[in-house]
Amino acid sequence: MDFGFTKEQQMFKKEIIRFARKEIVPRVQEFDLQKKFDFESFRKLGEFGILGLHFPEEYGGGGADVITTVMAGEALGEAGVDGGLTLAYGAHSFLCADTIFKHGTEAQRKKYIPKLCSGEWIGCMGLTEPDAGSDVASMKSTAEKKGDKYVLNGSKIFITNAPIADVSVVYAKTDPDGKHQGISAFIVEKDTPGYTCGEPLIKMGVRTSQTSEQFFSNCEIPAENLLGKEGDGFNMSLQTVEWDRSALLAPFVGVSTYMLKRCADYAKKRVQFGRSIGEFQATKRKLANIRIFGEAARSLVYRIAWYKDQGKPLNHLEAAVAKLFVGDWSMGPANDAMILHGGYGYCHEYDMERIFRDSRLAPIGGGTSDIQKMIISKLM
Amino acid sequence: MNYEYSQKEFELLIELFQMVTDFAADHPMDSGTADCRQNIQEALEKLGQTPYLKLGVEHVEEYNGVVTLMGAMEVVALVSPSLFLSAEYGVRVLGRALAKWGSQQQKDEFLRPLVSGTAMGAMALCEKTVNVDNEPLATTGEKQGDKIIINGRKQFVVNGPVAKIIGIAGTYDGKPAIFIVDKDTPGLVNHETEGALGYKGTAVSEITLTDCAVDETRVIGCSEKENMVSSLRLWENQVLTGASLGLMRASFENARDHAKSHRTGGKPIIAYQEVGFKLAEMLTLFQTSQMLAIRAAWTSETSPKEAVDLTLCAKVFCTESAAQVSGEAMRILGSSAYFGSNPVERAYCCARYGEIFGTSTELSRVKLGDAALGIKP
Ligand SMILES: Cc1cc2nc3c(=O)[nH]c(=O)nc-3n(C[C@H](O)[C@H](O)[C@H](O)COP(=O)(O)OP(=O)(O)OC[C@H]3O[C@@H](n4cnc5c(N)ncnc54)[C@H](O)[C@@H]3O)c2cc1C
């Protein structure tokens, strides 16, 4: 066993942290308050090479391995980048771009991947529907083949980046009577007639990411926009789970390091009863809890990444364990961090309340904690 | 990075599991009956023929020190917690002290028999309280003529009543030291400590030393820069972390098997979310503990400075998880765990030890808080 990072990885991580602290983090709180997407920061993520990190260089990517890619997510969190921007990055690079890259034709790869890597285009992935969340197979959206076109009808909800996306990967049923095997995946571009998005939803956290419904009303797309074969959609959505349980969880690990640092700084300078609150054991306990959570989660998230780098098929039990742990066990430390800051922790001036809000997506998005427990108890 | 044990390591884990399971089948070690002690001694001899007792103590080709050890500890603690505790306190902790600070003569005389499983050892650290972190050791050795005279009182000495070679932590000439004392040294009195909640096969005692005279060759010292007590504690914390893994695994696997076979309302109880989801949480805690424990062990081999805090993180997380997982396993087994002894009830009782001993859960959190604040111990 070996849990070490290479020298290059460690240096790269430091560079990302330096970059993010300088270019992105100073803007985070304001954008969160405005509930606005920070296009400039997103573009900078592209310029720095983060959006396309794991794609081959010939498609404008960085050619990095999975560990390095996951480490980039951790670094963004550690620098203090908000959960909205890291979610937008995750949905864009992994849920959308990676699906196109894996299952698209060479022409589709050439058309989309370089622009998605650079951040010139923004991507999203529409799977969830108003009446089909955890139970994906019950989705109602349909795609009917008519000549050299598919006609899409239906709606999606809670889709990250939908209102700002140039390109979407959309799942719909080509066989409305089939369950999982009836689902197919399509590429839909933003100005396609019959495709519209709702107003951004008002959310508790991850507010800088823009989330909305997608509506398809006799939306015609060229038949070649089908990804892979008809009926392959469900398996494609499962493959994004590998990223969902590694790269998308990584920022939560990084954020715990960020919280710990911020909390320690605050505890040292905040004086009550004539001493810094850091001198109270109750404060130390909170710091310890944050540290322990971060260390525990880190081992799980990199485990998924390492196996993916080895080319091994995803171990769904281990993936669900990682997701469940981050989802359910992140609540305590985020709460501790907020309370450690007292009234300031509850106010927007300090970012602890934002981190608390952002972290609450962890047990819901990408498969709820209950669904993870269902998977684990079935596979054990 | 590499998240897998090597083939060789893996084979060792299987071998240990088989060996201890086979032996335990007709040699009770955890029941608390009188024959447990003898059986543990015999099992120790068997372990002495494998690399187990040497791991972390001395370099063993093709194994990865404490990293391999963490997996091996899980396996031994899974099958017999009492054997595990006796081996770890009796051989590992004292053995590591001898390996690190002992003279060649001390290694030949004491370490050889310990790691070959032929002599039972003990390492006496606790005094008035379990906490030795902010209570300086009161046990002292003083030079008189060509002898060292030891006085003090040690509590909760695992293996105390059965150990031949006893390491007594104290101070000599104002500096931390370990005195190696034979069990029959005049002035050494063992009072058995009874009524333990868990680890029922392991003998524990309070040892008083009144003007115990030993040769100067029996003193193990360390350099000024080192903190002997911290090292002993760290090793003990690793032991308790390893125990937690075994106890959790015993709890989880028994609860899972029970949930799959026990039926109510026409279906196995695992089919009820209240049970199935509880098991999922238990497995999550177990796997998370395993990963954290092994990474902390790896860090102790590669960058000991970083390992200080990480070992505490692992110790707190794993021991608390073991307490929780064994408690939940009790609920899943229901009446069959509550009445009568079985591995889950045993794990439930043993798991409490881990939170209290070593650096206690509470003290560990204080130390981790201090580390975050940049306060040096
Ligand atoms: C901010 C945000 C961003 C998102 N981004 C995207 C995106 O980019 N693309 C996308 O496709 N989706 C996205 N989602 C949707 C997300 O994946 C779903 O919300 C999630 O899968 C849960 O589905 P649901 O909301 O319909 O809840 P439901 O499935 O209706 O669940 C409701 C409750 O019932 C529980 N439950 C459901 N089934 C079971 C069961 N069998 N056993 C026990 N309990 C059960 C759930 O755990 C939950 O507590 C996003 C959601 C949010 C909040």
Side-chain angles (χ1 to χ4, degrees):
Chain A
M1 296 227 187
D2 178 354
F3 299 91
F5 294 96
T6 64
K7 279 251 149 48
E8 296 79 62
Q9 285 169 334
Q10 287 168 1
M11 271 163 54
F12 186 50
K13 183 174 177 192
K14 283 196 185 130
E15 270 178 52
I16 298 176
I17 292 176
R18 216 177 302 126
F19 149 77
R21 277 194 188 138
K22 181 160 172 273
E23 305 287 344
I24 299 177
V25 176
R27 307 153 60 88
V28 157
Q29 286 299 83
E30 186 55 27
F31 277 85
D32 176 75
L33 203 58
Q34 308 283 340
K35 306 184 185 74
K36 282 209 178 105
F37 185 71
D38 185 355
F39 284 95
E40 192 178 326
S41 289
F42 196 77
R43 198 180 39 74
K44 282 182 178 159
L45 283 178
E47 270 168 26
F48 194 86
I50 290 177
L51 298 180
L53 202 51
H54 76 285
F55 293 105
E57 285 167 25
E58 69 218 76
Y59 298 96
D65 59 11
V66 183
I67 296 278
T68 308
T69 308
V70 167
M71 207 187 59
E74 184 186 352
L76 293 176
E78 189 170 333
V81 175
D82 68 300
L85 189 63
T86 52
L87 174 67
Y89 151 54
H92 166 92
S93 294
F94 304 110
L95 307 187
C96 175
D98 195 70
T99 307
I100 295 178
F101 182 76
K102 256 205 206 93
H103 308 288
T105 60
E106 193 50 36
Q108 285 165 334
R109 284 179 170 191
K110 288 228 169 78
K111 179 173 179 192
Y112 297 107
I113 303 301
K115 288 200 165 79
L116 290 169
C117 285
S118 68
E120 188 186 334
W121 282 359
I122 296 176
C124 73
M125 189 267 311
L127 178 67
T128 307
E129 296 187 358
D131 294 322
S134 302
D135 181 12
V136 173
S138 68
M139 72 167 58
K140 299 219 170 53
S141 296
T142 55
E144 200 184 335
K145 183 128 192 230
K146 282 200 177 147
D148 59 352
K149 305 234 185 284
Y150 278 99
V151 182
L152 267 55
N153 277 294
S155 67
K156 299 283 168 184
I157 195 167
F158 306 134
I159 308 308
T160 303
N161 293 348
I164 53 169
D166 300 272
V167 47
S168 277
V169 169
V170 176
Y171 292 89
K173 282 201 168 157
T174 38
D175 172 8
D177 301 324
K179 291 194 76 173
H180 300 88
Q181 305 317 324
I183 301 171
S184 304
F186 301 90
I187 300 174
V188 180
E189 292 188 20
K190 81 168 169 207
D191 292 324
T192 312
Y195 166 44
T196 51
C197 288
E199 282 297 302
L201 297 165
I202 297 174
K203 308 191 297 300
M204 172 186 187
V206 293
R207 286 184 162 173
T208 67
S209 69
Q210 305 296 295
T211 319
S212 77
E213 288 174 276
Q214 292 181 309
F215 303 105
F216 303 93
S217 168
N218 290 324
C219 169
E220 288 188 2
I221 54 168
E224 65 259 24
N225 283 20
L226 169 73
L227 280 166
K229 293 199 304 290
E230 281 192 11
D232 281 356
F234 185 71
N235 283 335
M236 291 180 192
S237 76
L238 275 188
Q239 285 181 20
T240 63
V241 167
E242 296 190 6
W243 287 112
D244 202 273
R245 307 301 184 249
S246 53
L248 270 91
L249 293 182
F252 290 97
V253 175
V255 162
S256 73
T257 314
Y258 175 77
M259 283 195 300
L260 185 62
K261 173 96 184 42
R262 295 278 294 184
C263 287
D265 289 346
Y266 187 78
K268 279 189 267 192
K269 63 174 209 282
R270 175 72 178 175
V271 174
Q272 288 294 287
F273 297 96
R275 340 188 225 170
S276 74
I277 59 165
E279 288 182 46
F280 300 119
Q281 290 193 341
T283 305
K284 294 181 188 184
R285 158 173 278 269
K286 295 184 180 75
L287 295 169
N289 287 343
I290 299 169
R291 172 81 194 269
I292 294 167
F293 164 76
E295 298 294 358
R298 179 172 291 120
S299 313
L300 293 175
V301 170
Y302 282 101
R303 173 165 71 167
I304 306 297
W306 182 78
Y307 277 109
K308 188 165 163 60
D309 266 336
Q310 304 311 302
K312 301 237 169 94
L314 179 71
N315 179 323
H316 283 278
L317 192 149
E318 290 176 0
V321 161
K323 174 73 170 53
L324 177 59
F325 186 76
V326 172
D328 280 13
W329 274 265
S330 59
M331 169 94 162
N335 193 40
D336 280 337
M338 185 174 70
I339 292 170
L340 185 145
H341 282 72
Y344 294 106
Y346 199 72
C347 296
H348 198 262
E349 182 186 345
Y350 283 77
D351 44 9
M352 293 302 126
E353 62 86 33
R354 175 186 57 69
I355 290 176
F356 180 84
R357 288 187 283 106
D358 287 354
S359 77
R360 291 307 77 220
L361 179 60
I364 300 173
T368 68
S369 290
D370 291 318
I371 296 306
Q372 307 315 311
K373 291 180 197 173
M374 200 163 87
I375 294 168
I376 297 168
S377 68
K378 281 215 176 107
L379 294 178
M380 70 176 48
Chain B
M1 241 182 223
N2 186 349
Y3 264 79
E4 281 177 357
Y5 277 127
S6 69
Q7 184 62 23
K8 183 95 183 157
E9 291 175 300
F10 198 64
E11 281 164 12
L12 175 66
L13 304 189
I14 308 248
E15 182 196 338
L16 288 170
F17 178 76
Q18 274 310 331
M19 175 194 270
V20 184
T21 305
D22 291 347
F23 183 80
D26 46 10
H27 296 83
M29 292 184 280
D30 291 277
S31 59
T33 51
D35 50 347
C36 285
R37 293 178 188 186
Q38 183 54 38
N39 291 339
I40 286 176
Q41 179 68 62
E42 257 181 65
L44 216 52
E45 279 171 41
K46 285 183 170 291
L47 286 176
Q49 285 152 29
T50 72
Y52 181 66
L53 297 178
K54 298 183 189 71
L55 292 172
V57 177
E58 52 192 48
H59 177 73
V60 193
E61 269 317 307
E62 297 192 77
Y63 297 106
N64 195 0
V66 186
V67 183
T68 311
L69 175 61
M70 199 46 84
M73 289 202 285
E74 173 185 318
V75 168
V76 177
L78 160 70
V79 185
S80 172
S82 299
L83 167 63
F84 170 84
L85 205 70
S86 295
E88 295 306 320
Y89 277 80
V91 177
R92 191 95 49 211
V93 179
L94 178 58
R96 290 179 84 172
L98 279 158
K100 183 163 181 171
W101 300 300
S103 65
Q104 192 53 49
Q105 190 204 336
Q106 288 167 337
K107 287 180 193 166
D108 293 341
E109 194 178 346
F110 307 116
L111 189 55
R112 281 304 107 223
L114 284 175
V115 295
S116 62
T118 51
M120 181 72 96
M123 180 63 233
L125 186 56
C126 301
E127 300 195 334
K128 241 181 22 243
T129 62
V130 173
N131 172 4
V132 291
D133 292 85
N134 47 16
E135 292 274 353
L137 294 180
T139 303
T140 56
E142 261 175 66
K143 198 168 160 82
Q144 280 183 23
D146 57 355
K147 293 281 183 196
I148 312 295
I149 308 298
I150 309 163
N151 280 290
R153 179 173 148 245
K154 293 287 177 186
Q155 285 203 94
F156 314 115
V157 184
V158 172
N159 290 347
V162 290
K164 254 173 64 185
I165 305 169
I166 306 173
I168 306 278
T171 57
Y172 177 56
D173 222 4
K175 292 193 206 94
I178 296 169
F179 309 103
I180 303 285
V181 184
D182 291 336
K183 73 171 192 320
D184 302 321
T185 311
L188 184 151
V189 180
N190 246 308
H191 311 268
E192 275 218 45
T193 310
E194 293 186 351
L197 176 65
Y199 295 109
K200 291 193 160 67
T202 305
V204 180
S205 67
E206 177 182 326
I207 294 179
T208 53
L209 302 115
T210 316
D211 294 332
C212 276
V214 297
D215 288 342
E216 197 162 8
T217 56
R218 297 271 178 133
V219 182
I220 305 176
C222 70
S223 76
E224 295 274 339
K225 280 193 296 223
E226 287 170 301
N227 186 333
M228 203 174 225
V229 172
S230 301
S231 293
L232 290 169
R233 268 295 191 239
L234 185 125
W235 298 333
E236 192 183 1
N237 289 337
Q238 287 180 334
V239 165
L240 298 173
T241 302
S244 304
L245 300 182
L247 299 173
M248 253 185 280
R249 188 161 149 198
S251 305
F252 168 73
E253 288 181 351
N254 277 282
R256 178 200 57 197
D257 296 348
H258 178 78
K260 284 185 177 178
S261 59
H262 183 67
R263 299 173 73 88
T264 68
K267 49 185 181 178
I269 59 170
I270 194 171
Y272 296 100
Q273 290 191 344
E274 273 295 306
V275 174
F277 283 21
K278 201 191 293 299
L279 281 162
E281 285 170 17
M282 290 158 66
L283 183 57
T284 297
L285 283 173
F286 174 45
Q287 288 204 350
T288 308
S289 297
Q290 266 182 326
M291 289 297 111
L292 181 55
I294 298 175
R295 188 160 67 87
W298 176 82
T299 309
S300 78
E301 294 281 359
T302 51
S303 47
K305 265 209 184 116
E306 274 179 60
V308 174
D309 296 340
L310 201 58
T311 304
L312 288 177
C313 288
K315 201 264 177 185
V316 173
F317 187 82
C318 297
T319 54
E320 287 186 349
S321 296
Q324 189 180 335
V325 168
S326 59
E328 286 175 356
M330 287 287 285
R331 289 208 289 281
I332 291 175
L333 266 82
S335 53
S336 42
Y338 190 79
F339 296 100
S341 52
N342 60 67
V344 170
E345 180 239 23
R346 191 173 77 194
Y348 177 83
C349 294
C350 294
R352 271 62 206 168
Y353 184 93
E355 292 180 305
I356 301 168
F357 286 83
T359 312
S360 71
T361 287
E362 288 71 23
L363 207 53
S364 295
R365 280 210 169 78
V366 171
K367 282 170 183 279
L368 287 169
D370 282 343
L373 294 165
I375 299 170
K376 296 260 158 18

